[in-house]
Amino acid sequence: MITTESNVTYDLHVDEKRFGSIQKTSHELNEEWLIKYRPVHIWVEAHIGRSSCMSTRRSVVLEHTVKYEAPQNINVSWVENNLSLSWTAAEKYPALVEVLFRRDESPTELWENRTTNTTIKTSKHQVTVDNLLKHTAYQVQIRHRSNQAHNPLWSDWSPVVTVPAELEQKPEVSMTTTLEKGTRKVVLIWKPMPQAAAATGVTYSLWDTQSGRGCPCARGIHHTISTKHTTYVSLSAVNISVVARNAAGHSPQAVIQLPTTPAADLKTCNKTLLDKKLNKRTCIELYELQDGNSMPKNVITLSGMKKQKERNHIKRTVKDFVRYLYFEHKCVGGRPQTVKMCLFYQKEGVPLSEPQDFSPFSETHNSVSLSWKANPLADHQGFLTHYSLCSVKISSQKETKECYNISASVRKHCLKKLTPGTKYNITLAGVTREGEGPKATITINTLPEKPANVLLWSLSLLFVFFLISTTCTCFLQRMKDKIFPPVPTPVIPNFTASNPEKQEMLERKEEVNELTLHQLHPKRKPVPEDGEETTVDGGGWGDGTDVENERDDSVMLGGSSDGSLCPDSTDPGLKNSREEEMTALEQVDNEIAMLIYRNGLVFDVKTDSP
């Protein structure tokens, strides 16, 4: 109705029924006021002041003409590459739906159209658009109409809905922890989601198992749009989960595991709060310990926020003969803090099995080394106070058993003072406060004692003594040589005859050292040229000039050379001269002085001729 007035009221007439004082130009009727399956007359009267006007009457069958409202609150999700859309159903029958879509990154792109029928699930219309790209964000619009009415009308288009890409990957989370007086400060940082998945924004949800079990300072689920979060947890094992969410769904869950912070001096529990009343700021945790399991599976939690009946039921779940790690947590300053951590048995027993892999090694004639592994933790049934190691000789039944207590933390032991060449039975058993468990048994034979060992030691000592003596002797001799250098032995040259034709060659090869020549007899007989010459070793007699002069003098006195004689002839004069020469040489040899070298000096010691 076109009017500039603001105080217009309307009356709606459906046959004889009147709905008056309507302020708007639309009105909804409850189903019980509708007349279906037969024609009805409908008209509207408008009133302003004392004036009024009336529309034309329209005769319709209300069941035949239906127009739905535009779809509202559309939910989207991805199933593989298919996009699922759902909204509140207008009626319990399926409807025909028309879907327009285009990529969000290309807003100028033409719309694509899909028309299909909806299905009804939990009072919602649901439709699937096939063969889209789940890693791409889309813009979507929907309208629908009835499939049952004779005269169905299309609804208005829904608002444009942005559908983000699917969150396929779980958040990549890094973690740093800081220990602060029984509390761990945990800082979590993760990478942002891809742009297509964050088209409509991403929210991150975080929670941990400690909060889920109702421990102090329980925080429940924390939601954030940031990629960084700081939380505080106690010293017990905890899992922290991080999930990314967008309009199309959520990512897989990223789980960060924090194992129990080990204590340097973990002891047995003297007192616990299991039988005492807990306040709301206190929490107890019991972890059933298993071999090689840092993240316990069976966790018992008892908090003051639970009712007494529930706490009694939880206490009954604690098992006998099972080792637990006991924690006491308190809420201090809004943060959980571990105030006690110890090992706990509700009831102890003797071990169920013997130590594992009990075996000997390094046997000698009087000792043997033993090694073993602890039996499984589940078989301890109590705290091991020590191991009992016993040995007994097999050769004689009268031998007494010798037993030793070994620390429970030891896995090797050397058994000494055994008899050589003897067979022994050795047993090992774990012991708790309730008694001794099954025994592991082995049999060993000590080696016979070898007498050769004494002889070997004697020979070794003798060799060492000889080596030391030799070393000392060499050292003393070297010191003596340095303090008292040895006197050199005089060199007495040998007189050797040489042929005259080789004289020049020998003279050229001689090396003459410094020499003092003492003439013992001034008058010497000349020696013929062809006579035998005595040469002095180049080591100490001179350069040979005197001998050479004597030879030249004999030639000048009338002697002939060797080349003038036949090989087989003999000159009488030459023979006499040779005899005289030999006589003179003998006299020289008999009366030659003994030369003694002493620090480079030559001493003349005369001797009497025979």
Side-chain angles (χ1 to χ4, degrees):
M1 183 178 179
I2 300 174
T3 180
T4 58
E5 301 292 337
S6 60
N7 55 351
V8 180
T9 59
Y10 304 92
D11 293 335
L12 174 63
H13 296 268
V14 180
D15 278 352
E16 302 299 328
K17 186 66 178 176
R18 175 181 172 271
F19 304 92
S21 301
I22 300 173
Q23 303 294 327
K24 298 180 180 180
T25 58
S26 64
H27 185 67
E28 294 182 1
L29 299 178
N30 292 330
E31 187 176 4
E32 61 268 18
W33 299 109
L34 298 180
I35 302 172
K36 300 179 180 181
Y37 310 116
R38 67 178 180 83
V40 294
H41 300 283
I42 300 177
W43 72 94
V44 177
E45 289 183 3
H47 303 274
I48 180 171
R50 294 183 178 182
S51 302
S52 65
C53 63
M54 184 177 65
S55 69
T56 58
R57 293 191 177 192
R58 185 174 181 178
S59 179
V60 296
V61 178
L62 297 180
E63 188 70 15
H64 292 172
T65 302
V66 175
K67 180 181 179 180
Y68 293 155
E69 289 185 355
Q72 301 292 330
N73 301 323
I74 300 174
N75 297 319
V76 296
S77 62
W78 288 97
V79 181
E80 297 298 332
N81 285 323
N82 303 325
L83 178 60
S84 177
L85 306 170
S86 64
W87 61 95
T88 303
E91 57 183 18
K92 60 182 180 181
Y93 301 106
L96 185 67
V97 63
E98 184 178 5
V99 181
L100 298 180
F101 60 90
R102 65 184 177 189
R103 292 182 297 173
D104 183 61
E105 60 186 13
S106 303
T108 59
E109 191 175 64
L110 295 178
W111 294 91
E112 293 187 43
N113 183 290
R114 298 277 180 90
T115 303
T116 183
N117 289 319
T118 65
T119 57
I120 301 295
K121 285 187 177 180
T122 61
S123 300
K124 285 184 176 293
H125 284 301
Q126 185 171 340
V127 66
T128 301
V129 183
D130 300 331
N131 300 323
L132 298 182
L133 300 176
K134 63 181 179 179
H135 301 297
T136 304
Y138 287 89
Q139 293 180 354
V140 177
Q141 274 189 305
I142 305 172
R143 67 176 183 174
H144 58 165
R145 71 181 186 185
S146 173
N147 280 338
Q148 302 296 319
H150 292 287
N151 184 28
L153 303 177
W154 282 106
S155 69
D156 296 333
W157 286 101
S158 70
V160 177
V161 177
T162 301
V163 180
E166 183 180 15
L167 291 168
E168 283 191 309
Q169 301 295 329
K170 60 185 179 181
E172 297 181 19
V173 184
S174 61
M175 173 187 64
T176 58
T177 60
T178 306
L179 188 62
E180 299 179 354
K181 295 182 180 180
T183 301
R184 287 180 291 182
K185 177 183 178 180
V186 182
V187 179
L188 304 172
I189 301 176
W190 54 88
K191 294 182 179 180
M193 293 294 105
Q195 183 176 358
T200 59
V202 178
T203 301
Y204 300 94
S205 301
L206 300 95
W207 66 94
D208 61 74
T209 51
Q210 288 184 352
S211 301
R213 292 192 288 265
C215 272
C217 310
R219 296 165 298 282
I221 299 178
H222 180 81
H223 303 284
T224 180
I225 60 174
S226 175
T227 57
K228 181 178 180 180
H229 180 68
T230 301
T231 186
Y232 293 87
V233 297
S234 65
L235 302 187
S236 60
V238 60
N239 290 347
I240 301 177
S241 300
V242 181
V243 172
R245 300 180 185 274
N246 62 10
H250 59 83
S251 69
Q253 179 176 316
V255 179
I256 299 91
Q257 292 186 339
L258 277 79
T260 301
T261 300
D265 52 349
L266 196 60
K267 300 178 180 179
T268 60
C269 298
N270 295 325
K271 296 180 180 180
T272 66
L273 298 179
L274 286 174
D275 297 326
K276 296 182 179 180
K277 186 177 180 180
L278 303 177
N279 58 45
K280 293 183 178 181
R281 303 175 66 84
T282 303
C283 171
I284 295 175
E285 281 187 304
L286 291 170
Y287 288 177
E288 184 176 335
L289 290 181
Q290 299 176 0
D291 291 324
N293 187 6
S294 60
M295 297 298 296
K297 294 182 180 179
N298 299 325
V299 180
I300 299 174
T301 304
L302 188 63
S303 67
M305 293 184 293
K306 296 181 179 180
K307 297 180 180 181
Q308 184 63 37
K309 185 177 181 181
E310 186 178 0
R311 291 202 299 268
N312 293 336
H313 173 73
I314 293 174
K315 291 178 184 179
R316 288 193 293 268
T317 61
V318 181
K319 304 175 185 177
D320 294 337
F321 314 123
V322 174
R323 179 176 294 190
Y324 289 93
L325 188 56
Y326 174 88
F327 295 93
E328 287 182 11
H329 309 304
K330 289 185 178 181
C331 188
V332 179
R335 300 174 183 177
Q337 186 179 93
T338 301
V339 296
K340 187 173 183 179
M341 178 169 33
C342 55
L343 296 173
F344 172 74
Y345 274 98
Q346 181 165 266
K347 185 178 180 180
E348 292 189 62
V350 298
L352 295 177
S353 61
E354 68 278 2
Q356 305 295 304
D357 299 335
F358 184 42
S359 59
F361 64 96
S362 300
E363 296 96 335
T364 65
H365 65 283
N366 63 351
S367 67
V368 62
S369 295
L370 307 169
S371 66
W372 64 91
K373 295 179 181 178
N375 52 342
L377 192 61
D379 293 345
H380 285 192
Q381 294 203 129
F383 297 110
L384 287 182
T385 57
H386 62 276
Y387 287 101
S388 177
L389 178 67
C390 299
S391 65
V392 62
K393 293 181 181 179
I394 299 179
S395 58
S396 176
Q397 296 182 354
K398 296 182 180 179
E399 294 290 342
T400 58
K401 181 186 293 186
E402 296 184 1
C403 294
Y404 308 90
N405 292 337
I406 302 173
S407 172
S409 61
V410 172
R411 297 293 179 269
K412 290 182 180 180
H413 183 73
C414 182
L415 191 60
K416 300 179 181 179
K417 297 182 180 180
L418 302 179
T419 304
T422 306
K423 183 180 289 188
Y424 283 87
N425 266 344
I426 301 176
T427 61
L428 182 70
V431 182
T432 66
R433 287 181 287 192
E434 297 298 320
E436 185 178 291
K439 299 178 180 179
T441 304
I442 59 172
T443 302
I444 66 162
N445 288 299
T446 56
L447 300 177
E449 189 173 8
K450 295 182 179 180
N453 291 341
V454 178
L455 179 60
L456 182 61
W457 276 103
S458 300
L459 292 175
S460 300
L461 293 175
L462 183 61
F463 174 75
V464 171
F465 176 76
F466 174 76
L467 184 62
I468 295 175
S469 300
T470 304
T471 304
C472 293
T473 303
C474 294
F475 176 76
L476 293 175
Q477 185 64 34
R478 288 176 65 88
M479 294 298 295
K480 180 181 178 182
D481 291 343
K482 289 184 178 181
I483 298 174
F484 305 105
V487 178
T489 304
V491 179
I492 302 176
N494 296 325
F495 291 93
T496 58
S498 60
N499 295 328
E501 59 271 14
K502 296 183 179 180
Q503 183 63 33
E504 293 181 3
M505 184 180 297
L506 293 174
E507 290 174 357
R508 292 175 183 174
K509 294 182 179 179
E510 285 182 344
E511 293 181 5
V512 181
N513 295 332
E514 293 183 1
L515 171 66
T516 302
L517 181 61
H518 296 269
Q519 185 175 359
L520 300 179
H521 300 279
K523 297 180 180 181
R524 298 177 61 181
K525 294 181 180 181
V527 180
E529 182 182 358
D530 57 351
E532 293 181 354
E533 295 180 1
T534 302
T535 61
V536 181
D537 191 345
W541 280 103
D543 55 1
T545 55
D546 294 338
V547 177
E548 185 177 358
N549 292 333
E550 291 177 0
R551 184 173 56 85
D552 293 339
D553 293 341
S554 65
V555 174
M556 293 176 64
L557 291 175
S560 62
S561 63
D562 291 343
S564 64
L565 298 178
C566 295
D568 296 333
S569 63
T570 304
D571 187 6
L574 181 62
K575 181 176 179 181
N576 292 332
S577 63
R578 288 180 178 175
E579 290 177 356
E580 292 175 357
E581 180 182 3
M582 292 299 297
T583 303
L585 291 174
E586 288 177 359
Q587 292 177 358
V588 170
D589 290 339
N590 292 333
E591 296 181 5
I592 195 169
M594 179 181 295
L595 301 180
I596 298 176
Y597 284 81
R598 182 73 173 182
N599 294 333
L601 299 177
V602 180
F603 296 87
D604 183 9
V605 181
K606 294 184 178 181
T607 58
D608 295 333
S609 299

